[in-house]
Structure formats: C-alpha cells, structure tokens
Amino acid sequence: MARPVPSGGLSISRVGVVWGYNLAWMVIQDIAKLGLYHQLTARRTGTTLPETRMRAALNEFGDLHRPAGSKSVAAGA
C-alpha cells in the first residue's frame, strides 16, 4: 500500500540546495569542456606544450645550419 504524500510539499531551502548543486556541476562541466576544446585545438594546430618545446630545441642553433650550396661567411674574411 502506498504512503500518502505529505501536503507540505518541498521547502524552499531544499529547492535552493538542488538548484545550487546543479549550477555547481554545470560550472564544473563547462570548465572541463573548455579545457578539452583547448587541448583539441592545440593538437590540431600543433601547438601543444611538448611540440612547442621540441621545435624550440630543434631550432636552438638557428641559422648555423644552412643547406648545401648556400653562402657562408668565412672566418676572418
């Protein structure tokens, strides 16, 4: 046999707790979504932190590496 529903209904404080809980999780999920979008965009454009560091390390010597046949400045000339 089903119990009767109390006639008092929900209190405004309980409704506020439910709304607050839902709003907090919406903010947490939105922050996680924005972080994911940032990571996916960085991977697509090749600007993730490891790739940026690797490019900087490979380009450490700048113009010291020149292709064959290019002019080089001779020492003492």
Side-chain angles (χ1 to χ4, degrees), residues 10-66:
L10 291 174
S11 68
I12 195 71
S13 63
R14 285 191 182 181
V15 171
V17 168
V18 170
W19 271 91
Y21 178 82
N22 286 328
L23 287 173
W25 274 109
M26 284 192 318
V27 169
I28 291 169
Q29 288 178 348
D30 196 43
I31 290 170
K33 176 186 71 173
L34 290 174
L36 176 65
Y37 286 168
H38 177 73
Q39 286 295 317
L40 292 174
T41 302
R43 285 183 183 186
R44 184 177 54 220
T45 59
T47 57
T48 60
L49 187 59
E51 290 174 355
T52 305
R53 287 183 178 165
M54 183 172 58
R55 283 194 184 100
L58 290 175
N59 195 24
E60 181 178 354
F61 297 106
D63 287 336
L64 292 178
H65 172 73
R66 294 187 182 95

